[in-house]
Amino acid sequence: MFTRSRRNLARWFTLSMGSILIVFAGVLYYQEAVEQLALKDRLLYKKARVIAASVQYELQQGQGRVDLSNVPFLGNNPPPADTEVIYAGWYDRLGKLRQFFGAPPPEQLSAAFEFQTIKTTNDLPLAKSKVSWLRQLTLPVRHKGQLIGYVQVAILMADAQDALRGLLMFLIMAVPIALGVISLTGWVLGGLAMQPIRFSYEQLQRFSADASHELRTPLAAVLSNAQVGMLAPLDQGASKHLRLEKIAEIAKSMNTLIGNLLFLARQAGHLSPEFLKEVDLTDLLGELIDFQSTTIAAQHLNIKSDLPEQSIVVLADPDLLHQAVGNLLSNACKYTKAGGIVQLRLYTQSCSAVIQVEDNGIGIPATDLPYIFERFYRVDKQRARETGGFGLGLAIAQQIVQAHGGHLSVKSEVGQGSIFQIELSIHKN
Ligand code: ADP
């Protein structure tokens, strides 16, 4: 699926960038052609103007005549190679050829005036091949406002064509190479773009698989308890009650698990400000210790609280914060042997409020530390199951702290204990 998407991304990238490249190459070629033509036309116009200026009108004959000696680049016949002029003709006002230089121009002036591109198969002095393209300009010449004839000049287009051919060859070679580079870039970029999606997809898949697996175990227990209850008609009284109690207990833990899963699925990103209240952490942690005191006493643990006298206020959802610190406290109790110490601290550090939950319990191996905030991750699966854990408590605590823009970290050593620390920004009025 990901390879197909990556291929599609690369294909679309190549197609779009390739089309842009081809259009760009076309525009470049067109502009060069226009530029070359404009260059030729300027040159042609200059030459035609010089020839037109050399026309001498002979009144008695009512005819014009071109004086060659006045035309600097047409002094010889044929014209010197560097003039580029293929022919220059002088036509009378009826369009009949009177004089010419270079290759013979048409005898009769064609109807089309001004600039013209024409193809010729004549053997031309400067032409490299049999078929040549010429640019021709026909200028009307007037004497005292009266039309006396036309000057027609043609130059060879070969050098402009050579320049265009060179550009075309370059584009023909460069465009496929650029297309190859673009498709390779598209493939690499497609891979990079797919990476986070692939990662999230794999995480989601693992999460769904873990969640289904966690739900299957208690469901199987409910089913077997119910089936045994149905099979044994004599299963009455205390035994039946025990089975129903077991089913209710499993259903309760499943309910907790589903609640946790729903929380993790729904709560993403930062909390919106309308859910945030000014919360006094000193009060909140005090209430939490009262709340957990029965569990702590039942497990024969010693709790020490180190809370400041003054209030430390943060902007938070009090229920969520209660749940996050509650998860850390209940873990500290779960993973500390009877007689151990659990400590709850609150203090300020520059602009942050720091909550620490410390225990001198079993600790967490260094190899497991990077993963303990992942969903369903448990260091000792058997032990965690015995203590009723699904491996979601820390993931939920971290998600809550992050939703408040805070930070949750851990330090732990096997056999020594663990310190979980929450940092939140202090709210200043
Ligand atoms: P669980 O419901 O299994 O406790 P958590 O997400 O709360 O899941 O914790 C993940 C794992 O991290 C636990 O299974 C346990 O192995 C380890 N852990 C968490 N807190 C502590 C602690 N205070 N001391 C030792 N191990 C801990």
Side-chain angles (χ1 to χ4, degrees), residues 122-232:
N122 293 348
D123 240 346
L124 299 175
L126 297 172
K128 290 175 193 156
S129 62
K130 236 358 231 126
V131 180
S132 314
W133 287 92
L134 303 176
R135 190 76 173 153
Q136 175 188 282
L137 173 63
T138 312
L139 269 187
V141 181
R142 292 173 208 283
H143 181 74
K144 293 183 179 161
Q146 200 187 341
L147 180 75
I148 55 165
Y150 302 90
V151 164
Q152 191 172 65
V153 188
I155 55 176
L156 208 56
M157 297 278 284
D159 53 343
Q161 279 174 311
D162 283 350
L164 281 179
R165 207 170 295 122
L167 179 66
L168 190 67
M169 289 309 288
F170 169 76
L171 292 175
I172 285 173
M173 281 195 305
V175 168
I177 293 173
L179 277 177
V181 174
I182 286 172
S183 63
L184 199 72
T185 314
W187 179 252
V188 174
L189 287 181
L192 287 178
M194 293 310 290
Q195 226 166 22
I197 303 171
R198 182 193 283 248
F199 179 69
S200 313
Y201 179 78
E202 281 168 1
Q203 253 194 341
L204 194 72
Q205 253 190 340
R206 211 175 57 222
F207 180 60
S208 317
D210 287 345
S212 325
H213 181 261
E214 291 302 328
L215 283 168
R216 214 161 49 193
T217 318
L219 259 181
V222 169
L223 202 66
S224 68
N225 272 293
Q227 276 170 342
V228 172
M230 282 189 301
L231 276 178

Side-chain angles (χ1 to χ4, degrees), residues 327-328 331-336 359 361-364 372 374 377-380 384 387-395 412 417-418 420:
N327 285 0
L328 300 183
N331 273 353
C333 299
K334 268 197 295 190
Y335 302 106
T336 305
D359 64 65
I362 59 169
I364 304 164
I372 55 165
E374 282 181 15
Y377 191 85
R378 283 158 297 186
V379 176
D380 180 347
T387 52
F390 288 107
L392 292 175
L394 287 181
S412 187
S418 315
F420 284 86

Side-chain angles (χ1 to χ4, degrees), residues 151-320:
V151 164
Q152 191 172 65
V153 188
I155 55 176
L156 208 56
M157 297 278 284
D159 53 343
Q161 279 174 311
D162 283 350
L164 281 179
R165 207 170 295 122
L167 179 66
L168 190 67
M169 289 309 288
F170 169 76
L171 292 175
I172 285 173
M173 281 195 305
V175 168
I177 293 173
L179 277 177
V181 174
I182 286 172
S183 63
L184 199 72
T185 314
W187 179 252
V188 174
L189 287 181
L192 287 178
M194 293 310 290
Q195 226 166 22
I197 303 171
R198 182 193 283 248
F199 179 69
S200 313
Y201 179 78
E202 281 168 1
Q203 253 194 341
L204 194 72
Q205 253 190 340
R206 211 175 57 222
F207 180 60
S208 317
D210 287 345
S212 325
H213 181 261
E214 291 302 328
L215 283 168
R216 214 161 49 193
T217 318
L219 259 181
V222 169
L223 202 66
S224 68
N225 272 293
Q227 276 170 342
V228 172
M230 282 189 301
L231 276 178
L234 296 176
D235 192 4
Q236 299 285 333
S239 163
K240 188 174 181 178
H241 185 75
L242 265 180
R243 281 191 201 291
L244 286 173
E245 243 180 23
K246 182 88 186 149
I247 290 174
E249 191 189 308
I250 299 166
K252 221 161 95 184
S253 90
M254 276 171 76
N255 195 33
T256 314
L257 172 61
I258 289 168
N260 287 343
L261 288 176
L262 280 175
F263 174 84
L264 284 168
R266 281 196 198 129
Q267 180 52 53
H270 279 208
L271 286 168
S272 51
E274 67 258 31
F275 294 115
L276 303 177
K277 284 189 214 159
E278 289 186 7
V279 177
D280 182 355
L281 288 179
T282 320
D283 289 349
L284 185 123
L285 297 187
E287 281 167 24
L288 201 63
I289 290 177
D290 292 344
F291 185 73
Q292 298 254 346
S293 58
T294 37
T295 327
I296 292 165
Q299 287 179 273
H300 307 289
L301 293 167
N302 303 304
I303 180 112
K304 284 187 185 169
S305 68
D306 185 1
L307 306 179
E309 290 291 313
Q310 79 280 17
S311 53
I312 297 176
V313 178
V314 293
L315 271 186
D317 178 320
D319 296 334
L320 289 181

